[in-house]
Amino acid sequence: MDFNMKKLASDAGIFFTRAVQFTEEKFGQAEKTELDAHFENLLARADSTKNWTEKILRQTEVLLQPNPSARVEEFLYEKLDRKVPSRVTNGELLAQYMAEAASELGPTAPYGKTLIKVAEAEKRLGAAERDFIHTASINFLTPLRNFLEGDWKTISKERRLLQNRRLDLDACKARLKKAKAAEAKATLWNDEVEKAEQELRVAQTEFDRQAEVTRLLLEGISSTHVNHLRCLHEFVESQTTYYAQCYRHLLDLQKQLGRFPGTFVGTTEPASLPLSSTSPTTTAATMPLGPSGAGLVPRGEAALCLEEVAPPASGTRKARVLYDYEAADSSELALLADELITVYSLPGMDPDWLIGERGNKKGKVPVTYLELLS
């Protein structure tokens, strides 16, 4: 018990000494041992890494789960080391409502049939979203959290120790300075100076040792950056896969709706890519929405006979195919991504379509699947 009381008294004395030293430094009444420029740069780099990692982590969590209540619930489950319950995505919930609506409104009616088709697509979109969230959480969020809750806590602990060692060192320097001043006035014995010098040597050794440990940890931030870079690539890859799946599901749905008897077809013509553009840069559709309109000529006019179609004397262009396209019928030309074809327009054509030629094959092609080359 006496030992514990002595230890508590010693700890209290050390804490008081450090507090006094820190306060005097703040008021400019005591000298402070400065770290070298390289060490200060390492500290600043580590702080910046920690701050931006926190911001990126929080915003990615918002991206993956916009509902703040759901995020709080997931956080609590994680802290309690319990499995987060499976949650229905918004797309899956929408699919459920559409399927129920079709069942009640008539699954054989045009509206009901379309609701069923869209519900199936929304269900697939919801499943793709669930996979993306799961993959992004494992490959991106978890490593960021591990850094903040593991490596950064270790770095912070060692930095606090280094701060204490520095305060102890500076306190020893101050005591030695006072001892030498007193010795000069013959008010202290020489052994008091020797004691202060010994304490200073011990404090300096402990400070140097702790500075080296902290420096090594701070230099490890470079490895953290490399690891986060790899995780960032994996996050982008999973996001690319997710949006590609969404695009394929929606394109498939659009094709189904375009061929479905009785499906409503809007009369609003979307903007098309002009063939007469003289811009030196290429014109590309970054995310094709699929062809709207169903033919070469306005409704009510006879379809053109492809065998009789000849390219105009001028106005033909080369185009690179952006995405695979499966021909809906014999009047269309099937496309493969990255191939080059010749395209041109004819009077009366739907602006969202062109005539495409590849060798001796010819057919309609959707503009949104092409990158028109200058």
Side-chain angles (χ1 to χ4, degrees), residues 244-286:
Q245 289 175 335
C246 292
Y247 165 68
R248 287 196 297 271
H249 293 325
L250 289 174
L251 183 62
D252 184 48
L253 173 63
Q254 195 173 43
K255 287 182 179 180
Q256 293 182 49
L257 297 182
R259 300 175 189 175
F260 204 86
T263 300
F264 173 78
V265 178
T267 57
T268 302
E269 294 185 356
S272 59
L273 300 174
L275 280 175
S276 58
S277 172
T278 57
S279 171
T281 59
T282 59
T283 306
T286 56

Side-chain angles (χ1 to χ4, degrees), residues 232-358:
L232 184 60
H233 278 286
E234 292 180 355
F235 173 68
V236 172
E237 185 68 25
S238 62
Q239 199 169 30
T240 301
T241 300
Y242 167 58
Y243 284 117
Q245 289 175 335
C246 292
Y247 165 68
R248 287 196 297 271
H249 293 325
L250 289 174
L251 183 62
D252 184 48
L253 173 63
Q254 195 173 43
K255 287 182 179 180
Q256 293 182 49
L257 297 182
R259 300 175 189 175
F260 204 86
T263 300
F264 173 78
V265 178
T267 57
T268 302
E269 294 185 356
S272 59
L273 300 174
L275 280 175
S276 58
S277 172
T278 57
S279 171
T281 59
T282 59
T283 306
T286 56
M287 182 59 75
L289 300 178
S292 62
L296 290 169
V297 296
R299 247 182 268 171
E301 297 184 21
L304 294 174
C305 180
L306 289 178
E307 288 76 9
E308 300 175 358
V309 170
S314 61
T316 61
R317 297 180 69 174
K318 289 291 184 181
R320 185 176 69 86
V321 178
L322 296 172
Y323 309 94
D324 292 348
Y325 177 72
E326 182 181 352
D329 52 48
S330 59
S331 68
E332 297 180 7
L333 181 66
L335 303 174
L336 294 176
D338 294 326
E339 68 176 336
L340 293 177
I341 62 173
T342 301
V343 295
Y344 51 88
S345 180
L346 295 175
M349 283 185 63
D350 187 308
D352 291 319
W353 293 80
L354 296 171
I355 297 293
E357 290 188 0
R358 181 182 59 242

Side-chain angles (χ1 to χ4, degrees), residues 63-67 70 74 85-97 119-134 242 246:
L63 173 69
L64 299 180
Q65 178 50 265
N67 187 334
E74 291 173 0
S86 179
R87 184 178 287 107
V88 177
T89 64
N90 292 328
E92 290 170 326
L93 187 59
L94 177 59
Q96 178 184 334
Y97 289 163
E120 292 173 351
E122 292 295 338
K123 186 176 181 180
R124 289 194 291 270
L125 290 173
E129 181 184 2
R130 185 191 302 278
D131 291 341
F132 166 57
I133 292 173
H134 178 70
Y242 167 58
C246 292

